[in-house]
Amino acid sequence: SVTADPNVADPNSEQILYTRAQPFWNHNGGDLAFGPDGYLYVGFGDGGSGGDPNNNAQNMNIALGKLIRIDVSGPTGWSVPPDNPFATATDTLPEIFANGLRNPWRWSFDAVTGDLWIGDVGQDAVEEVDFWPAGDLTGPNFGWRCYEANNAYNTAGCLPAASYVAPVAAHPQSQQN
């Protein structure tokens, strides 16, 4: 909650809304923001280590490697927005908005269009920027650990590349200064 000054939070109103244990020390995400729809979006990395050894990013029963979308407008706690992509699924966490992310370190909503832009940390070869249009509630899968950007990474049990949302930009790590 805010104080009488709308730019100052009331420290006594703090509530822990959502927690998720991380199996490793790295690739744990790093951003949260309210979307243009008023819901809170929270990014979780795949849980760390190298190569997503537990395949968390493709496991729809765990928040790791995902972007979740929750409604925090109630007096306490949170709820799943009824139009979430998996709100009525029985085999998926209903708060998941997008999956197949390695480490959505920074992401933002375009101030004019409401489109979602995600900077996702690569494994060893490529950093990527992902895009999802505003208002599309179909639940994108950005393909990690099957693909690192546009390159096959660990395709065991994966669908063809065309089944995943490809990045709009890929930056080879070899070209970093």
Side-chain angles (χ1 to χ4, degrees), residues 21 29 75 102 119 137:
R102 180 163 188 266
L137 301 173

PDB file of all heavy atoms in Angstrom, residues 21 29 75 102 119 137:
ATOM      1  N   ALA A  21      11.567 -21.881  -4.356  1.00  0.00           N
ATOM      2  CA  ALA A  21      12.943 -22.274  -4.068  1.00  0.00           C
ATOM      3  C   ALA A  21      13.722 -22.425  -5.365  1.00  0.00           C
ATOM      4  O   ALA A  21      13.185 -22.890  -6.375  1.00  0.00           O
ATOM      5  CB  ALA A  21      12.955 -23.596  -3.297  1.00  0.00           C
ATOM      6  N   GLY A  29      16.319 -15.419 -12.499  1.00  0.00           N
ATOM      7  CA  GLY A  29      15.438 -14.346 -12.953  1.00  0.00           C
ATOM      8  C   GLY A  29      15.930 -13.012 -12.423  1.00  0.00           C
ATOM      9  O   GLY A  29      17.082 -12.870 -12.040  1.00  0.00           O
ATOM     10  N   PRO A  75      -7.485  -7.537  -1.319  1.00  0.00           N
ATOM     11  CA  PRO A  75      -6.989  -7.030  -0.040  1.00  0.00           C
ATOM     12  C   PRO A  75      -5.783  -7.803   0.492  1.00  0.00           C
ATOM     13  O   PRO A  75      -4.959  -7.251   1.208  1.00  0.00           O
ATOM     14  CB  PRO A  75      -8.185  -7.154   0.900  1.00  0.00           C
ATOM     15  CG  PRO A  75      -9.108  -8.133   0.252  1.00  0.00           C
ATOM     16  CD  PRO A  75      -8.852  -8.056  -1.221  1.00  0.00           C
ATOM     17  N   ARG A 102      15.278 -19.062 -20.151  1.00  0.00           N
ATOM     18  CA  ARG A 102      16.452 -19.486 -19.375  1.00  0.00           C
ATOM     19  C   ARG A 102      16.625 -18.588 -18.166  1.00  0.00           C
ATOM     20  O   ARG A 102      16.725 -19.044 -17.048  1.00  0.00           O
ATOM     21  CB  ARG A 102      17.717 -19.458 -20.220  1.00  0.00           C
ATOM     22  CG  ARG A 102      18.934 -19.896 -19.398  1.00  0.00           C
ATOM     23  CD  ARG A 102      20.100 -20.277 -20.279  1.00  0.00           C
ATOM     24  NE  ARG A 102      21.149 -20.853 -19.470  1.00  0.00           N
ATOM     25  CZ  ARG A 102      22.170 -20.160 -18.970  1.00  0.00           C
ATOM     26  NH1 ARG A 102      22.279 -18.871 -19.193  1.00  0.00           N
ATOM     27  NH2 ARG A 102      23.081 -20.771 -18.244  1.00  0.00           N
ATOM     28  N   GLY A 119      14.622  -9.682 -22.365  1.00  0.00           N
ATOM     29  CA  GLY A 119      16.038  -9.971 -22.537  1.00  0.00           C
ATOM     30  C   GLY A 119      16.335 -11.259 -21.784  1.00  0.00           C
ATOM     31  O   GLY A 119      16.318 -11.275 -20.556  1.00  0.00           O
ATOM     32  N   LEU A 137      -2.996 -13.770 -25.398  1.00  0.00           N
ATOM     33  CA  LEU A 137      -3.024 -14.571 -24.175  1.00  0.00           C
ATOM     34  C   LEU A 137      -2.956 -16.067 -24.469  1.00  0.00           C
ATOM     35  O   LEU A 137      -3.565 -16.876 -23.779  1.00  0.00           O
ATOM     36  CB  LEU A 137      -4.284 -14.240 -23.371  1.00  0.00           C
ATOM     37  CG  LEU A 137      -4.411 -12.771 -22.949  1.00  0.00           C
ATOM     38  CD1 LEU A 137      -5.765 -12.507 -22.302  1.00  0.00           C
ATOM     39  CD2 LEU A 137      -3.277 -12.380 -22.028  1.00  0.00           C
TER      40      LEU A 137
END
